[in-house]
Amino acid sequence: MSVLSGKNILLGVTAGIAAYKTTYLVRLFIKAGANVQVIMTPASKDFVTPLTLSTLSKNPVHSTFYDKEDENEQWNSHVDFGLWADIMLIAPATANTLSKMANGICDNLLMATYLSAKSKVYFAPAMDLDMYKHKTTHQNIKKLQSFDNIFIPPSSGELASGLEGEGRMAEPEDIVTFIENDIISRLSLKDKKVLITAGPTYEAIDPVRFIGNHSSGKMGFALAHHAAELGAEVTLITGPSNENIINSSIKRIDIVSAENMYNAAHQYFNDSDIVIFAAAVADYTPKVIATQKMKKKDTSLSIELQPTKDILASVGKIKKDQFLVGFALETNDELKNAISKLKRKNLDLIVLNSLQDKGAGFKTDTNKITLIDKNENITSFELKSKTEVAQDIFNEITKKINV
Ligand code: CTP
């Protein structure tokens, strides 16, 4: 799967003959699973039609702040486009546009959007030989690089003028590969293997009954998805959960009982760099599992339970270089209990959920966490979506593994 899958790509097209190649570019982005919106400079419409680009991108194409002719037309907000984009690409970027970008001139929708964009901005220059060779072009490219804009070098070959040399816009396939490789090279967990446990465990009583808990797996799945987005190779060991994997690069291992989870976790632990135990593992399991469905009786029923293995504590004992993270769900003496779990299980970080906090814990889409590291530094966060909580947890982990 491409790293561009699910990304919002804003393509800015300017007035060069290479604009015709943006039709291929848009197709490649769409094929990679990205969402694409196109903004054109007014003059670029002489080289490729907005209709072609809107059909291919499946979105309206804009080139002005509003259309004077159309009374139903709405204001096209450069700020909204800038906020929407995960990636902005200006291709082809003419000498004129490079100069405007370098000097903060915003006399059209594209340039106003460029100045508003919060995302990474890539630019792929295209112009004729001597324009590209001109010192001012080189100065502008350097200046844009100093703004952290990313230069996609042009290639050499025959130019529209018939001259031979540097100045041709990089080929669409090469632009896509360039951006993919650049994103991968910046991913903070690109060479890391991450192991995550999630969901409940079910402890069988007989062939049709079990002891379980209300864990939905949402937090563990959010962690797995975020780790994959950061470039990690992720293994997710999950108890029964209705959650789905949306990133095909995550290896999902379905288990049922605490014993299954113990075996799977030990199979992957040694080969992992970061290990996060978000599962709500049963602490007890029936000593004997009835082989036949148990019949109802008029008398009371006792089922003898025995403790399950503490999986987190068991990997804490054998850990070498792994960064080990546990969760603590507490109802009282939260900090004290969490710190004691952190020490007892030999963790690097513990994520504390308090059931006293509204919106935290099982089944909800939100969580409110406090992170405690092994030096007992405490950081508390607001109530957030589990996706944002996963980001906060990985921000903390990446800070700690990179010091
Ligand atoms: N955990 C585990 N194996 C178990 C029990 C818990 O791996 N058999 C992990 C959980 O995934 C979590 C952490 O240990 O990361 C803490 O789980 P929690 O249920 O809060 O703690 P317990 O150690 O079970 O302590 P208690 O239930 O007494 O609070």
Side-chain angles (χ1 to χ4, degrees):
M1 194 174 77
S2 167
V3 283
L4 299 177
S5 174
K7 292 267 185 307
N8 292 342
I9 301 181
L10 188 61
L11 172 65
V13 179
T14 76
I17 182 64
Y20 83 90
K21 292 187 185 172
T22 57
T23 53
Y24 298 98
L25 199 49
V26 171
R27 280 202 55 202
L28 291 172
F29 285 145
I30 295 283
K31 259 176 99 178
N35 310 307
V36 182
Q37 292 208 68
V38 181
I39 299 179
M40 304 179 76
T41 60
S44 72
K45 293 195 274 184
D46 291 335
F47 294 91
V48 59
T49 72
L51 181 62
T52 310
L53 290 175
S54 77
T55 308
L56 292 170
S57 66
K58 303 176 186 147
N59 270 314
V61 168
H62 299 286
S63 61
T64 52
F65 290 96
Y66 66 97
D67 183 354
K68 287 183 192 141
E69 312 287 297
D70 181 354
E71 52 192 35
N72 297 319
E73 174 78 14
Q74 292 191 343
W75 168 258
N76 297 318
S77 167
H78 51 288
V79 177
D80 288 347
F81 287 126
L83 289 174
W84 176 82
D86 297 315
I87 296 162
M88 183 170 187
L89 165 67
I90 301 185
T94 58
N96 186 38
T97 291
L98 291 182
S99 166
K100 288 186 195 176
M101 288 164 74
N103 293 290
I105 296 171
C106 61
D107 60 349
N108 61 39
L109 178 65
L110 179 60
M111 286 302 98
T113 306
Y114 163 69
L115 283 181
S116 314
K118 288 192 157 184
S119 64
K120 280 263 168 256
V121 178
Y122 297 83
F123 62 100
M127 64 200 76
D128 223 287
L129 186 65
D130 294 303
M131 291 174 86
Y132 185 65
K133 275 188 181 161
H134 202 283
K135 276 191 182 155
T136 191
T137 303
H138 280 257
Q139 268 178 13
N140 286 334
I141 290 174
K142 275 216 170 97
K143 204 163 165 190
L144 291 176
Q145 286 177 304
S146 77
F147 302 160
D148 280 341
N149 293 170
I150 301 157
F151 170 48
I152 305 179
S155 57
S156 280
E158 191 183 338
L159 297 159
S161 62
L163 295 173
E164 287 267 339
E166 239 182 336
R168 280 163 63 115
M169 186 179 85
E171 292 304 320
E173 288 81 2
D174 297 334
I175 292 180
V176 173
T177 309
F178 182 102
I179 296 175
E180 285 175 333
N181 289 342
D182 183 71
I183 292 172
I184 291 167
S185 73
R186 287 167 205 279
L187 292 174
S188 53
L189 298 181
K190 76 177 149 81
D191 298 319
K192 301 282 186 234
K193 289 187 180 161
V194 175
L195 175 64
I196 294 169
T197 69
T201 62
Y202 286 179
E203 307 303 318
I205 296 171
D206 69 12
V208 295
R209 302 182 180 94
F210 60 84
I211 300 171
N213 61 64
H214 289 300
S215 169
S216 60
K218 286 177 195 274
M219 192 63 246
F221 277 67
L223 285 162
H225 285 128
H226 192 60
E229 274 174 20
L230 295 177
E233 191 183 320
V234 183
T235 303
L236 174 68
I237 302 171
T238 179
S241 165
N242 291 328
E243 293 297 299
N244 290 317
I245 291 286
I246 47 170
N247 190 319
S248 59
S249 65
I250 299 171
K251 181 170 181 179
R252 171 177 177 156
I253 296 171
D254 288 291
I255 56 87
V256 178
S257 66
E259 183 69 18
N260 299 156
M261 188 172 271
Y262 178 93
N263 293 334
H266 276 270
Q267 190 184 335
Y268 288 93
F269 181 74
N270 284 335
D271 200 26
S272 303
D273 301 298
I274 297 167
V275 179
I276 308 177
F277 276 42
V281 185
D283 287 331
Y284 293 93
T285 190
K287 200 163 187 181
V288 179
I289 304 172
T291 50
Q292 305 295 334
K293 185 180 167 207
M294 287 163 68
K295 288 286 174 203
K296 185 170 66 182
K297 290 186 186 128
D298 285 340
T299 52
S300 63
L301 171 71
S302 299
I303 299 171
E304 194 180 348
L305 302 177
Q306 63 184 2
T308 55
K309 293 176 194 149
D310 188 322
I311 313 167
L312 184 55
S314 71
V315 297
K317 281 197 186 109
I318 56 168
K319 113 173 154 159
K320 293 192 179 92
D321 299 326
Q322 291 89 347
F323 190 91
L324 188 56
V325 184
F327 271 68
L329 181 63
E330 306 293 340
T331 53
N332 59 295
D333 293 328
E334 290 93 338
L335 279 177
K336 195 170 139 250
N337 287 336
I339 291 170
S340 129
K341 269 178 204 171
L342 174 98
K343 304 267 178 224
R344 190 158 32 91
K345 304 194 187 195
N346 192 21
L347 309 181
D348 296 288
L349 189 71
I350 194 154
V351 184
L352 166 64
N353 295 137
S354 168
L355 272 191
Q356 294 196 15
D357 289 324
K358 252 188 150 185
F362 288 169
K363 282 194 170 162
T364 61
D365 287 324
T366 52
N367 206 354
K368 186 171 182 331
I369 60 159
T370 299
L371 296 180
I372 308 162
D373 71 13
K374 60 181 178 195
N375 299 321
E376 298 184 27
N377 293 311
I378 298 169
T379 320
S380 294
F381 295 83
E382 296 301 306
L383 183 73
K384 294 185 179 186
S385 72
K386 285 187 173 165
T387 306
E388 290 169 304
V389 170
Q391 290 170 7
D392 288 336
I393 293 172
F394 274 107
N395 281 346
E396 189 70 15
I397 295 172
T398 41
K399 260 194 260 160
K400 296 217 179 295
I401 59 176
N402 288 327
V403 284

